[in-house]
Amino acid sequence: MAKRKFRIYRGDNAKGEFADYETEVQEGMVVLDVIHRIQAEQANDLAVRWNCKAGKCGSCSMEINGKPKLACMTRMNEYQEDQTITVTTLKTFPVIKDLVTDVSWNYEQNKKIKPVKLHPQAKSDRGYVMYQEDVDRVQEFRKCIECYLCQDI
Ligand code: FES
């Protein structure tokens, strides 16, 4: 177990500042674990969004030492022991509080996407036929977990 230093953005879109924390980190911990420890022991009002802790839901996206990352998938051993870990929100989105952003713009855009209309000739006596090449084409987009790391500027 070793003490590690964290700088975490505290505030909202109008104003905020970095707060410094120091806490124990055990082997195998990810950045989200440490944020939860800080929240439990030193900053009960620290806002952070997360859900699955398995890299599936996309809700723990944030900037860790200036890089867009999922906090639940970022191991503490990626960083030097004497390195301060700086955590902020993704810069793209307005800050609601601390590490939580408003990503509703994406949902508004999603509503504008028109549903796929299948061509009448694609209908056979077995129903609509989908070709494997068409399935492959959309498969990549089906993997999106809506973390929005790709939108970070
Ligand atoms: Fe779900 Fe990190 S908590 S992706």
Side-chain angles (χ1 to χ4, degrees):
M1 212 154 60
K3 282 232 182 222
R4 301 290 294 269
K5 290 181 178 155
F6 264 66
R7 300 197 82 206
I8 300 177
Y9 180 79
R10 304 295 313 267
D12 56 27
N13 216 35
K15 73 177 182 122
E17 59 186 17
F18 283 96
D20 293 320
Y21 301 97
E22 201 171 305
T23 192
E24 298 286 341
V25 171
Q26 286 139 330
E27 195 178 337
M29 285 177 92
V30 293
V31 170
L32 186 61
D33 293 327
V34 183
I35 292 170
H36 283 157
R37 177 168 280 175
I38 290 168
Q39 191 184 43
E41 296 174 352
Q42 301 173 49
N44 299 145
D45 61 341
L46 173 64
V48 59
R49 185 185 283 141
W50 68 284
N51 223 322
C52 68
K53 210 173 168 282
K56 301 285 182 203
C57 73
S59 53
C60 69
S61 54
M62 55 187 73
E63 279 194 14
I64 302 168
N65 281 2
K67 296 219 165 80
K69 288 179 168 254
L70 293 176
C72 72
M73 300 302 285
T74 305
R75 296 215 166 267
M76 284 299 297
N77 64 9
E78 289 181 31
Y79 304 98
Q80 301 292 322
E81 283 201 12
D82 60 349
Q83 197 175 5
T84 300
I85 312 291
T86 302
V87 185
T88 62
T89 59
L90 298 182
K91 292 187 193 82
T92 311
F93 304 104
V95 180
I96 296 172
K97 185 176 188 284
D98 303 335
L99 299 175
V100 177
T101 54
D102 177 4
V103 295
S104 57
W105 181 87
N106 286 292
Y107 303 119
E108 295 307 315
Q109 299 309 306
N110 196 24
K111 285 181 200 162
K112 294 179 186 172
I113 299 171
K114 292 187 174 107
V116 175
K117 281 190 181 163
L118 295 174
H119 195 280
Q121 288 180 342
K123 191 164 187 171
S124 73
D125 53 351
R126 293 178 293 137
Y128 282 100
V129 175
M130 216 167 165
Y131 296 102
Q132 188 58 46
E133 64 191 52
D134 292 330
V135 174
D136 294 344
R137 207 157 40 102
V138 296
Q139 189 58 35
E140 193 60 31
F141 301 105
R142 300 285 300 168
K143 292 180 195 165
C144 175
I145 60 169
E146 299 181 359
C147 62
Y148 308 125
L149 294 178
C150 62
Q151 293 179 323
D152 196 36
I153 49 175

